[in-house]
Amino acid sequence: MPFLELNVLNAPERTTLGIDLGTTYSLVALWREGRPVVLRPKGRPDGRIPSAVHFPAKGPALVGWPARERAASDPGGTIFSIKRFMGRGLADARADLESVPFPARETESGVIQFVAQGRAWTPQELSALILQEVWRTAGEALGEEAPRRAVITVPAYFDEAQRAATRDAARLAGLEVARIVNEPTAASLAYGLEQKREGLVAVYDFGGGTFDVSILSIEGGVFRVLSTAGDTHLGGDDLDRALVALALSESRVGPELSHDPAFLQGLRLAAERCKLELSSRGESELHISAPEKRLSWRRSIRREEFEELLQPYLQRTLDCCARALHDAKLAPAEIQEVVLVGGSTRIPAVRAAVERFFARRPHCELNPDEVVALGAAVQGHVLGGGTRELLLLDVTPLSLGLETMGGAVSKLVLRNAPIPCQATETFTTYADNQTGIDFHVVQGERELAKDCRTLGRFKLRGIPPLPAGMARVGVRFALDADGLLSVTAREESTGVQSTIEVQPMNGLTDAEVERMLKESYAHAREDFDLSHLANLRIEIGTMLRALEKSLPGARSQLDRETLGDLEAAVARARTVERTDDVKAVQALRDELERAALPLAAVLMDSVAKAALQGKKLSEV
Amino acid sequence: MPALSPAVEACPSCGARPSTPLLCEACGELLEPRTPPSPFEALGIEPVFALDLGAARKRLLALSRALHPDFHGTADADTRRLAEDNTAALNAAFQVLADDLRRADWFVRSLGGPREDEERSMPGVFLQEVLEWNETIEEARSAAPGSPARAALASLAAELQRARAAGVQRVTGLLTPPPARGDTALRRVRQELNALRYMERALREIGELQLASHS
């Protein structure tokens, strides 16, 4: 048994999930039998999980599909696009707050809180709910408890605060973060481009809420990012909003509706449907209605018209591409492969523009919604110790610095510097016997500290009393491979380790994360059961609808016993709303699935027979 | 040149003499450098200014394959820290080596030449040109995209690229073979570097202006 021996000799691989925590949808994948696969529970070919949370009038929050389904009937209770609030304060997020149907406030350290069901939820906690749902889905697909170790992807252009918020969300969800990986970099792994050995690659990642472009060089299995550029506020969401704005202005709805979050959410979903349709058709209808206000407005949108709306956003993505190429000191023609990632790259006009820009037909063989999660699973395989064939060398998207006298920024780490990286700067005191120094850590490309993002402030204490200018304090910044920052300081003449209290801006302290974890444990079991219950009900609903469609035509092909069995199971499944017992509902679902099996076989059979007889499937 | 290449100690684990203080390539042990290594030491390559960048990059990739935290994620905390620290040192080293100006600056400083703030002058012929270049950039800055002033930027960029290449060529001559400690050639390198930095800045500004006019 050579295999067994090998496993004993080598440290076993630590199974690691790859999670794409997206603005609109999330997805989970895992390395299995030599390749990355998306984890899809049985009967759900679309493995995506909507990144949405619904707070019903009472009962626990619903997450994922149940939240999205409820949003249609009860639009006032669902929050979407939580990712846009990660690591952000109220002032950063004004425009995004308009579509959130809950009051928002801010903690002292600039963390947004949404008030729903009488308690405050940070974006980190809401993202944790989504991650838990993702993890639960993974377990359902695997048929056993899913691993708790995960690679989680973030937009390449996420700053430190947004990355830290993502890490905290994972901790709150009970996950161990093996690595925070940039989405475009992950995507490049999924394509197996290393098999071509050498080359320059551009990854164009136009997702639901963010845009990234990364330029990589691939050499001997090493993926080295040369530059990255992007916009954390540019995505498919913006295209929906452009349609919403059009509908609002042309339908001339009054302010009572145009500021009603519930109405806006309904409209946003309609706009999204219209946008999706326009990728496959030349025309689509945008319809809004509010019966209680006697409003019903419809308008047909032509693809050309939509492309005109899209133009300014598309131009911004191409500006980012020009920036990334400039930083990598390359011309578009030098790029050998272009990879498309993100749902918005399904739009024909987007594909055409990218093809024109790089003068090269882009790769789109893989599902653009799945490619990031697949790449994350590849990276999970590497990090779990499964292979040393591949290596990712990534960069930090934004410069990192300290505010100096006069409000300018002294940059310690420049954008596109490879991570991990470390930088040390020496400071001195300007007054006699000064024992402390205040620091302001910023991230961004602007010259003045006030125009950059504040990552945090820290005070250095315990400097030995010395004449002005004599103390030499070395401050060391370390960006780790996740792009997360840590700061240490030391007085060099005496070797005294100075203490640092960092107050993260728009972020949680470790103590806050701990407290939230304790609180969530108390409710975990109960919440889990109730959200599982909601999922089961939705599954049963989907199965019942499918049966209603297919059973009448196939009755004659089932024997009496089978038919009776199935009809009884259907009747029992229809009582699903009457019980709240998870085990009972699970039994109803399983029974329905079992009873429907013969029908499925018959249907398959007639499809196969029809094919053999040369009939078109649509005639069956 | 003892000043440029101090001895690397033997690997505590297998006794081999490693080519870099960051790692024993013979046994794969991550090493804790006693003092921060120079960029050339970190990559384990010979300190010459006229560097074979392709070979240096191959070293970067090979050492990254052994050092990177991704491959030590399941190791003990000490090894994980060393993987982060040593990869950071390796990355910093390659950043210096891959940049002509930073690499030259490293030679001048390690051979006891004048620092940037000790020698601020530029080669004489250069000053008149600087004034003309400045003028072209300032005119383009206030001009509309597509105007002749903007078009002049492209030819200025080409001229700067040529001037930069010529400057790097002169620096290569001055630093090959490396001058003795305190040699007057180091002052001349510093002056060339001052001019080259100016060109880099001008090229960067032109690049920004051109990027801005695209949109």
Side-chain angles (χ1 to χ4, degrees), chain A residues 179 319 323 388-389 422, chain B residues 57 65 70 85 208 215:
Chain A
R179 178 75 79 239
D319 290 346
R323 153 74 58 198
R388 291 185 80 125
E389 294 282 300
Q422 294 170 358
Chain B
R57 196 181 60 240
R65 274 191 167 283
D70 279 6
D85 289 357
E208 292 296 330
S215 41

Side-chain angles (χ1 to χ4, degrees), chain A residues 76-136:
Chain A
T78 306
I79 178 165
F80 292 96
S81 300
I82 294 149
K83 194 169 172 178
R84 290 200 163 192
F85 304 105
M86 295 286 272
R88 288 287 170 266
L90 278 183
D92 305 311
R94 287 272 170 238
D96 296 314
L97 287 168
E98 275 176 24
S99 52
V100 177
F102 302 107
R105 58 187 200 204
E106 193 180 61
T107 68
E108 234 170 74
S109 52
V111 178
I112 295 178
Q113 290 180 322
F114 300 106
V115 183
Q117 293 184 331
R119 65 157 277 197
W121 300 82
T122 61
Q124 286 88 329
E125 289 166 286
L126 294 171
S127 294
L129 292 177
I130 293 165
L131 284 169
Q132 276 168 346
E133 177 65 17
V134 167
W135 179 79
R136 200 192 61 71

